[in-house]
């Protein structure tokens, strides 16, 4: 099985189209989507309309939950832009998404951990900032999850961890937002360091799972101009640098 893994598109339709074009040349059997699909400063409606008909196995992220359950006056700017933009049909599609999804062959899709859409699986946030999680931390967060391949997103950083017993955990990085700053549970920045759209390809052709992290060039300057025009200089800065400005994703 050869799987293309997308996550954290955040309404960046330009990046999504570039990634889908790259996926078309990778001879994959399946493409999956790990959530945080539309909330962002760019094109929530167009992103939903592009993805919905494709029928990719998809799980909801924390931004889908927030978009569907938070009163508009309490939404952050990314969720509010999506709330004001997407159609009723897109909202129904987002509401239908499961929190986790198991696939044949021992594959598990989650937004972050099997138990939470906010608790990072492959990264640890401390008072001093964010760092890669240890193998022990990842194992504790997975608990008794039996999957041999766990695909997660949320932190926007491409990482993988090979665990004792043969399990592989993969975060493909973010298709549409390479960096952000947050203050929960402590002030920290998640930064891919370049403006590329990112995704991963995993396959088990050798008898065990292996991952290739891919970086895709797209017109991030145009995306940044759109973010700026929509009142999000923080997103504009992140899109063209891969570094975090102020604000939440």
């Amino acid at each position: 099985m050869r799987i293309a893994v997308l996550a954290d598109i955040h309404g960046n339709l330009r990046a999504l189209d570039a990634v889908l074009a790259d996926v078309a040349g990778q001879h994959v059997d399946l493409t999956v989507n790990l959530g945080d699909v539309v909330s962002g400063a760019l094109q929530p409606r167009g992103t939903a309309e592009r993805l919905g008909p494709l029928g990719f196995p998809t799980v909801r992220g924390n931004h889908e939950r927030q978009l569907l359950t938070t009163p508009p006056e309490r939404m952050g700017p990314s969720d509010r832009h999506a709330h004001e933009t997407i159609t009723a049909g897109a909202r129904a599609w987002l509401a239908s998404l499961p929190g986790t999804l198991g696939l044949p062959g021992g594959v598990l899709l989650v937004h972050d951990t099997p138990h939470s859409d906010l608790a990072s699986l492959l990264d640890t946030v401390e008072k001093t900032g964010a760092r890669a999680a240890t193998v022990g931390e990842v194992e504790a967060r997975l608990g008794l999850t039996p999957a041999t391949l766990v695909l997660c997103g949320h932190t926007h950083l491409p990482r993988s961890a090979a665990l004792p017993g043969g399990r592989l955990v993969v975060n493909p990085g973010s298709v549409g937002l390479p960096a952000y700053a947050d203050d929960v549970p402590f002030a920290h920045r998640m930064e891919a360091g370049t403006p590329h759209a990112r995704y991963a390809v995993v396959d088990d052709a050798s008898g065990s799972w292996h991952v290739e992290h891919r970086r895709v060039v797209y017109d991030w300057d145009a995306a940044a101009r759109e973010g700026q025009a929509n009142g999000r200089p923080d997103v504009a800065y992140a899109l063209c640098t891969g570094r975090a400005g102020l604000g939440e994703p």
Side-chain angles (χ1 to χ4, degrees), residues 93-164:
W93 172 58
L94 296 176
S96 74
L97 300 177
T100 65
L101 182 62
L103 300 178
V107 180
L108 178 66
L109 313 185
V110 300
H111 181 62
D112 208 337
T113 79
H115 316 293
S116 170
D117 60 19
L118 286 173
S120 301
L121 184 51
L122 290 180
D123 291 88
T124 297
V125 177
E126 301 172 319
K127 290 182 178 180
T128 54
R131 61 168 174 81
T134 66
V135 167
E137 288 172 331
V138 176
E139 287 188 302
R141 292 165 189 171
L142 284 177
L144 299 177
T145 302
T148 56
L149 175 66
V150 179
L151 304 175
C152 66
H154 186 61
T155 61
H156 297 208
L157 300 183
R159 296 198 192 282
S160 61
L163 304 181

Side-chain angles (χ1 to χ4, degrees), residues 3-4 19 40 55 58 66 76 88 92 102 140 152 168 172 176 186 196 202-203 211 220 229-230 240:
I3 306 172
V19 163
T58 300
Q66 292 161 195
C152 66
L168 180 67
F186 305 104
H196 296 80
V202 294
D203 74 64
V211 58
W220 47 71
N230 288 338
C240 62

Side-chain angles (χ1 to χ4, degrees), residues 77-78 177 179-183 188-189 232-235 244-249:
S78 293
L177 187 62
Y180 68 90
D182 200 358
D183 59 3
H188 64 282
R189 294 170 181 247
R232 294 295 300 275
D234 57 321
V235 171
L246 301 175
E248 56 88 35

Side-chain angles (χ1 to χ4, degrees), residues 6-68:
L6 282 56
D8 296 288
I9 299 164
H10 282 284
N12 190 338
L13 183 57
R14 291 179 182 85
L16 173 61
D17 281 340
V19 163
L20 292 177
D22 195 76
V23 169
Q26 298 306 308
H27 308 292
V28 301
D29 302 298
L30 183 68
T31 300
V32 301
N33 177 9
L34 305 181
D36 280 8
V37 179
V38 299
S39 291
L42 303 179
Q43 300 178 56
R45 179 171 177 167
T47 299
E49 290 174 348
R50 180 80 164 94
L51 278 173
L54 296 177
F56 297 154
T58 300
V59 294
R60 68 174 180 265
N62 60 292
H63 278 277
E64 278 74 57
R65 173 179 51 77
Q66 292 161 195
L67 176 62
L68 295 169

Side-chain angles (χ1 to χ4, degrees), residues 185-199:
F186 305 104
H188 64 282
R189 294 170 181 247
M190 295 297 190
E191 301 176 311
T194 76
H196 296 80
R198 295 172 186 259
Y199 78 103

